[in-house]
Amino acid sequence: MEKQTRATLLDCLHRDESRLDPAALSVLTDEGWTALIEMATRHGVAPLLYQRLKAPPLAGCVPDDVRERLRGLYLNTAARNVRLYEELRPLLLALHEVGIPVLVLKGAYLAEQVYCNIALRPMSDIDLLVPASRAREVWRVVKDLGYRLIYPATETLIPSFGKDFVCQKPNGFAPVEVHWTIKITDEKDCMDGEELWQNAQAACIAELDTATLSVEDFLLHLCLHASYQHEFDFGLRALYDIAVFIERFESEIDWSALRARVLHHHWRRGVYLILYLASFRIGAAIPVEVLTALEPADLSVGVIEQAERRLFDAGTETAGMTANVISFFRPGRLGDRARVLWRRLFPSRKEMAYMYPIPPGSWVLYSYYLVRMKDLMRRHGTAAWDLLRGDRELAETVRRRAELREWLFKPDAQ
Amino acid sequence: MENRLMLTRDARLQIPEQVVTRQVGDEIVLLNLESGTYFGLDPVGSRFLELLEAEGTLAAVLAKMLEEFDVTEAQLEADLLRLADEMLASGLLVTA
């Protein structure tokens, strides 16, 4: 059932609309439709499914109640995003007013300017990039607008530690992530801040003249975010973002510049794998020569399968296991595991001050190591217990994820 | 609720300040920012809202829409009253 649902969903979302045979929909049972809607929701693509299925010739194959359920999800996304843009506008206005340059990242740009219909692209937060030198000032501006700091817990760490601050207004407002660097992971290069600002392009977002990343930087950010940062757990929405983005800017993308940067920064494995999946599963128009040039020599069918499996695990319980849990429980030497455990239990003072509201110099911070242990137990205790008592399915998931991780972060052979 | 019972074609209606509207595809979404209530209007409903914003009264909207759509006056009036009634109840329209 799962496999069939997956195939139907992929056909429904494929950029080549002729791939979906209406007869495949006609045979779906109530149970089949429910599974399809649930999978689409889990992958953040239910509004896209609605858009595809309401148009002829597929509309006639969709039962009324199914169409209504999908329309409900579409309108829900629209309403949430309307609210999010209503939040974004005063935020951008306030920053513009004090002359702080800002680049709008990810969803807020994609939904309006790439999907061209804000109901099609679910969003959970607002991502902005500001110069590191102005980050503290940005916090003061948003604080005056009524935002509360979530991370770091200690205000004085902005921007000396971490890559962003996260804040939120009470009463159902979306979290706002203010970045001053686009950090991929500890193991990989950041996207170059200077270069991002130099290449930035003008954009109209939330009815305001503002800016976003250049076409190549934006596409790279999508690829790096989905591959290295989230290790493919972002579901089909990540592939779809890439496919729609390429379709929208097909004539503008400088593929050779993009390829050169990928190779220079050793981002080859992640970028190749996500582009490969976007191309072969969703039909993203990626030039064959780009894929050929980026293909790592040790790519195997197994790696592609692991990434795909992870992609389809999105939204499930095991998808939430962090890279640290994977590093700890993966088969390996005891010493490596002990190092991971030690690092997680006893982070540096700055890391602690990032998580808990205590200045890094305070002695009280030591008492928070107990709180840290409690928090780790609460977060990972169940998975850890299941693994320790020999849950085979979970152990297999950890093994697979560790394998994918190892391949992904292996140094590139250029 | 009182609004719903008194609604007639002479009613003057408007979108309250706390409601935002946005075109999404071929529909319009209205969202009440205070209550979180939202409503989607298909192309015909969107036309109703557009005319209501321009004309103000249901009677004027009814007259315009009768020119544009192939429908009897009684049917259209019943449909518009039902739609307006529902939107009033959701706080997405108010009487002016």
Side-chain angles (χ1 to χ4, degrees):
Chain A
M1 176 82 167
E2 169 92 8
K3 210 172 167 188
Q4 185 54 46
T5 307
R6 187 185 296 188
T8 309
L9 185 58
L10 283 173
D11 281 346
C12 285
L13 297 174
H14 203 280
R15 300 309 290 158
D16 173 8
E17 295 187 359
S18 67
R19 270 177 75 110
L20 181 63
D21 179 5
L25 296 179
S26 304
V27 297
L28 280 180
T29 59
D30 285 353
E31 206 187 358
W33 280 112
T34 300
L36 187 67
I37 293 174
E38 279 173 3
M39 187 178 277
T41 306
R42 215 171 66 220
H43 284 267
V45 293
L48 291 163
L49 186 63
Y50 168 68
Q51 191 198 37
R52 182 92 172 80
L53 297 185
K54 75 171 185 168
L58 303 177
C61 311
V62 185
D64 289 347
D65 64 316
V66 169
R67 194 169 30 250
E68 275 313 301
R69 276 168 71 189
L70 283 169
R71 183 164 183 263
L73 295 166
Y74 173 85
L75 289 177
N76 184 269
T77 304
R80 288 168 66 109
N81 287 354
V82 167
R83 186 175 175 126
L84 197 136
Y85 281 104
E86 287 295 310
E87 182 180 350
L88 176 61
R89 195 178 149 76
L91 203 59
L92 290 176
L93 276 172
L95 294 173
H96 287 178
E97 206 168 287
V98 292
I100 298 177
V102 54
L103 302 184
V104 178
L105 306 176
K106 298 194 284 195
Y109 175 70
L110 287 171
E112 264 196 352
Q113 300 299 324
V114 179
Y115 284 80
C116 301
N117 175 349
I118 64 163
L120 294 179
R121 181 26 169 100
M123 282 186 267
S124 53
D125 57 12
I126 293 170
D127 286 275
L128 304 175
L129 183 75
V130 300
S133 59
R134 311 288 297 269
R136 186 73 70 86
E137 204 181 332
V138 174
W139 165 235
R140 280 196 292 270
V141 171
V142 296
K143 194 177 180 181
D144 286 346
L145 291 174
Y147 284 85
R148 293 178 190 165
L149 199 57
I150 298 172
Y151 283 109
T154 311
E155 192 177 315
T156 51
L157 289 182
I158 302 172
S160 66
F161 187 77
K163 59 184 172 52
D164 54 26
F165 71 77
V166 184
C167 57
Q168 192 169 21
K169 263 188 190 180
N171 301 326
F173 281 81
V176 177
E177 288 187 18
V178 178
H179 306 260
W180 45 89
T181 178
I182 300 188
K183 188 178 174 182
I184 313 304
T185 65
D186 289 341
E187 300 94 331
K188 289 282 163 191
D189 288 355
C190 293
M191 289 185 81
D192 186 329
E194 279 294 308
E195 214 173 349
L196 296 179
W197 286 100
Q198 277 164 17
N199 298 338
Q201 56 164 334
C204 178
I205 301 166
E207 297 169 347
L208 288 174
D209 289 329
T210 180
T212 188
L213 299 173
S214 72
V215 170
E216 293 79 19
D217 286 336
F218 206 106
L219 180 55
L220 263 179
H221 187 208
L222 290 178
C223 294
L224 297 170
H225 187 254
S227 59
Y228 290 113
Q229 221 169 333
H230 284 273
E231 295 178 24
F232 300 90
D233 76 347
F234 245 38
L236 290 175
R237 195 185 73 190
L239 297 189
Y240 212 87
D241 281 351
I242 291 169
V244 178
F245 190 89
I246 291 173
E247 209 165 281
R248 167 87 167 78
F249 295 108
E250 202 168 5
S251 60
E252 293 172 45
I253 300 171
D254 182 345
W255 284 103
S256 59
L258 186 135
R259 197 177 59 200
R261 285 184 57 201
V262 169
L263 297 177
H264 176 74
H265 290 285
H266 307 281
W267 294 328
R268 184 181 199 159
R269 291 167 186 277
V271 172
Y272 173 82
L273 203 46
I274 199 78
L275 287 180
Y276 172 90
L277 292 172
S279 170
F280 286 91
R281 296 295 172 258
I282 300 287
I286 299 153
V288 177
E289 62 275 16
V290 173
L291 280 179
T292 310
L294 289 179
E295 185 174 332
D298 62 349
L299 179 79
S300 65
V301 177
V303 166
I304 296 171
E305 276 174 6
Q306 307 284 28
E308 207 163 4
R309 194 190 287 256
R310 177 107 172 96
L311 197 83
F312 275 95
D313 272 353
T316 62
E317 219 173 300
T318 52
M321 277 196 295
T322 63
N324 289 312
V325 175
I326 300 296
S327 304
F328 181 72
F329 283 102
R330 70 171 185 196
R333 285 181 302 175
L334 204 62
D336 292 341
R337 289 185 187 198
R339 260 192 297 279
V340 172
L341 185 64
W342 183 263
R343 267 207 318 268
R344 299 321 297 161
L345 282 177
F346 304 108
S348 70
R349 286 167 152 264
K350 268 197 166 175
E351 281 174 285
M352 286 295 284
Y354 187 87
M355 294 181 273
Y356 304 103
I358 300 291
S362 167
W363 285 99
V364 182
L365 192 136
Y366 286 110
S367 64
Y368 272 82
Y369 280 101
L370 287 172
V371 180
R372 168 77 179 152
M373 280 183 209
K374 201 176 123 197
D375 286 348
L376 282 176
M377 281 303 291
R378 203 186 56 230
R379 218 175 304 153
H380 305 300
T382 311
W385 175 247
D386 288 344
L387 283 163
L388 287 171
R389 69 184 177 82
D391 184 322
R392 281 190 187 174
E393 202 180 322
L394 206 54
E396 179 57 17
T397 304
V398 169
R399 189 194 61 75
R400 282 198 309 264
R401 276 194 53 188
E403 253 178 43
L404 177 62
R405 219 173 178 269
E406 202 169 305
W407 183 86
L408 204 55
F409 289 97
K410 205 191 285 181
D412 286 345
Q414 299 289 346
Chain B
M1 200 53 144
E2 201 179 322
N3 276 335
R4 300 180 75 176
L5 296 170
M6 291 166 59
L7 193 62
T8 65
R9 60 154 62 189
D10 296 320
R12 183 166 281 277
L13 301 170
Q14 65 183 36
I15 300 172
E17 212 172 86
Q18 70 275 20
V19 171
V20 286
T21 64
R22 183 112 177 192
Q23 184 82 40
V24 291
D26 57 0
E27 302 191 44
I28 284 183
V29 166
L30 294 97
L31 170 72
N32 186 322
L33 292 168
E34 282 175 7
S35 65
T37 312
Y38 59 89
F39 204 90
L41 293 174
D42 64 11
V44 180
S46 300
R47 181 67 183 142
F48 159 74
L49 193 70
E50 192 186 342
L51 288 170
L52 188 66
E53 282 187 282
E55 306 287 339
T57 65
L58 277 178
V61 174
L62 185 65
K64 288 266 182 194
M65 288 185 83
L66 274 172
E67 291 169 15
E68 295 176 16
F69 295 92
D70 184 18
V71 61
T72 64
E73 185 171 348
Q75 180 64 57
L76 184 60
E77 183 175 355
D79 288 348
L80 292 190
L81 282 172
R82 195 169 50 242
L83 176 62
D85 193 41
E86 211 175 322
M87 291 173 73
L88 274 167
S90 310
L92 298 167
L93 283 180
V94 288
T95 48

